[in-house]
Amino acid sequence: MKKYFDILRKHVLTGTSYMIPFIVAGGVLFSIAIMFNDSASVPTEGFLGDIATIGQVGLKLFVPILGGYIAFSIADRPGLAPGLIGAYLAQEVNAGFLGGILAGFIAGNVVKQLKKIQLPISLKSLGTIFLYPIGGTLITGLIIICFIGTPIALFIDHLTKWLSNLNQVDKIPLGAILGGMTAFDMGGPINKVATLFAQTKVGTFPYLMGGVGVAICTPSIGMGLATLLSPKKYSAEERQAGKGSLLMGCVGITEGAIPFATSDPIRVIPSICIGAIVGNISAFMMGVLNHAPWGGLIVLPIVEGKLAYLFSILLGSTITAIMVNLLKKKQIKEEIKEEEFEIEFDEL
């Protein structure tokens, strides 16, 4: 079982290593555009609008890159196109980065099985560049559209209706629900349901965005802070991603925590959820009102209860950082050395 999970982790880490530059470049550029926009929102015109567009492209590409290189790790070059296209389709059906990971594994294993089919010698040269990519893309795409897209759409619909009936629920359980949902998949379907619920009520119940605005940024800030507090527990790539994650969190981009969640979901996802829950409840209980449908420090000028808002962000982020660092027992350096030895041994 341990060997099986080590293999899975190796494939996910391969996808993550290729994904990080996209999410950092896109996230930082998008953050800069929002940060320098006067209205603390996404600019759509002028030079800042162009920067925001470039950043959004980077943020939209990272899920396909993640899925594509997971499939590449499993099935080599023939898996790349099915993985990229499958993960893109997963993103289009609002499956988020978790859907991208699933698409990568589906594509990689589909192509791996196709490669076992004995082809005539005359067709072998066509397998890598023609038959395997086309067959893998078709099968993976149909699985994503038919068996993943529809259930996710139904799930989102039911989740939205359920959440809409919680208006009168006490603030502590409501804050826990919204905080956990916002952090759980970092921009995925569950996150979108929670944030949209609060955003649509910003005019009538601004306290909802007061809490959700905190939960939006604590995953990214918390993981960035974690890399600063215990740098030896993170790879060089993750430490660099941590710097970008801090900036993304400050301007309300939850996706900054995704590189950490993909490489170590068992420790990272519970940590960011607990931090977001505590931060959200804290903001609710201290009466923070956020009149913007956004989160992070960028909306501070239009927040009522600024000190409480800042305290809640600091509290949630610190809890995330401390919790994830306590859970991370192994030094990344040692793990990398072991992987490098195995690669060199295989090559010999």
Side-chain angles (χ1 to χ4, degrees), residues 1-19 65-76 101 104-105 109 112 237 259 261-265 332 335-336 338-347:
M1 184 64 71
K2 183 180 183 297
K3 184 179 179 181
Y4 177 74
F5 281 111
D6 284 344
I7 292 171
L8 291 180
R9 184 171 180 272
K10 173 183 173 292
H11 297 320
V12 173
L13 287 175
T14 299
T16 302
S17 66
Y18 284 98
M19 175 197 74
I65 293 297
L66 174 62
Y69 279 95
I70 288 174
F72 172 81
S73 178
I74 297 169
D76 208 355
I101 292 174
F105 277 107
N109 283 290
K112 193 173 181 180
E237 281 184 334
T262 54
S263 61
D264 193 1
I332 290 295
E335 294 179 4
I336 288 175
E338 290 175 3
E339 289 175 7
E340 288 176 350
F341 174 78
E342 289 175 3
I343 292 170
E344 290 173 2
F345 182 78
D346 290 342
E347 288 174 351

Side-chain angles (χ1 to χ4, degrees), residues 142-211:
L142 289 173
I143 291 172
I144 298 296
I145 293 171
C146 299
F147 299 104
I148 295 177
T150 301
I152 285 179
L154 291 172
F155 171 71
I156 291 174
D157 183 57
H158 286 297
L159 192 60
T160 303
K161 290 177 180 177
W162 173 73
L163 200 55
S164 298
N165 294 325
L166 298 179
N167 284 336
Q168 305 304 319
V169 175
D170 186 73
K171 284 187 176 181
I172 291 179
L174 181 59
I177 292 167
L178 290 175
M181 289 175 64
T182 300
F184 178 73
D185 56 355
M186 295 152 279
I190 296 175
N191 166 282
K192 283 184 170 62
V193 169
T195 53
L196 187 62
F197 172 75
Q199 287 167 344
T200 55
K201 299 180 184 301
V202 70
T204 52
F205 300 105
Y207 80 90
L208 291 173
M209 272 312 300

Side-chain angles (χ1 to χ4, degrees), residues 67-68 70-71 82-83 85-88 90 98-108 140 144 148:
I70 288 174
I85 295 170
Y88 180 85
L98 294 174
I101 292 174
L102 180 60
F105 277 107
I106 291 172
T140 302
I144 298 296
I148 295 177

Side-chain angles (χ1 to χ4, degrees), residues 221-236 238-240 242 246 260 264 317-333:
I221 295 176
M223 291 310 304
L225 182 60
T227 63
L228 296 177
L229 294 176
S230 299
K232 291 184 179 180
K233 293 189 175 183
Y234 299 89
S235 67
E238 287 177 324
R239 291 196 295 272
Q240 292 302 314
L246 284 169
F260 306 96
D264 193 1
S317 301
T318 303
I319 287 174
T320 289
I322 292 173
M323 181 174 172
V324 74
N325 284 343
L326 287 174
L327 292 174
K328 277 183 174 288
K329 296 178 181 179
K330 292 183 179 179
Q331 296 290 322
I332 290 295
K333 279 187 176 180

Side-chain angles (χ1 to χ4, degrees), residues 307-319:
L307 289 178
Y309 186 71
L310 288 172
F311 171 78
S312 299
I313 290 174
L314 181 61
L315 178 64
S317 301
T318 303
I319 287 174

